[in-house]
Amino acid sequence: MSSPSRSAYERALGARVAELHPVLRRYFAVIPPGAVGVGEGVFESFGTQRRWLWPVLAIAKRCGVIVPGLHREVPFRVENLTEDGRQTATRTMKFDDGDWSMRCRSSRAYPDPR
């Protein structure tokens, strides 16, 4: 598969992408095949203190969507890349009881036919 011609951000901005500072244009551009965009940090807090939601969120956790509970000082890592012409993001949180990852992949291969 070919690599994406435009990122989701570039498609959303359309011609206005040219108005961005060159550093931001590069940041929001497609990640070339073989390259990985990495971001790391620490969430001050992550989740919700609404305990009544935790059983529902436990189901969502098994589906790779969200983690129940309220967590403090959670280190995370985000990796964005292009695989088989699709944009992919993996977000990994480092909880006290182990790592948890959520993976998103664009629903279609690119280049964008528009």
Side-chain angles (χ1 to χ4, degrees):
M1 289 241 156
S2 61
S3 67
S5 59
R6 295 186 303 162
S7 73
Y9 300 108
E10 290 170 310
R11 289 191 318 278
L13 287 169
R16 295 190 66 198
V17 74
E19 298 173 27
L20 294 174
H21 185 280
V23 172
L24 289 176
R25 271 198 311 265
R26 193 168 54 250
Y27 178 81
F28 288 115
V30 157
I31 295 171
V36 179
V38 176
E40 296 179 309
V42 176
F43 283 116
E44 232 174 80
S45 67
F46 181 86
T48 180
Q49 59 188 355
R50 294 180 178 90
R51 291 182 177 270
W52 62 270
L53 280 175
W54 293 3
V56 175
L57 297 179
I59 295 167
K61 179 182 180 182
R62 289 192 295 271
C63 297
V65 177
I66 192 70
V67 176
L70 181 60
H71 310 272
R72 303 276 183 204
E73 302 299 320
V74 179
F76 69 88
R77 178 181 176 92
V78 178
E79 295 182 3
N80 297 308
L81 57 117
T82 301
E83 295 178 312
D84 300 323
R86 297 177 191 267
Q87 297 166 2
T88 303
T90 303
R91 297 159 188 90
T92 302
M93 296 353 145
K94 298 187 175 294
F95 295 108
D96 292 337
D97 62 349
D99 293 357
W100 177 81
S101 295
M102 174 175 56
R103 185 174 172 152
C104 303
R105 187 169 183 184
S106 63
S107 60
R108 62 184 173 137
Y110 295 93
D112 187 359
R114 285 187 256 166

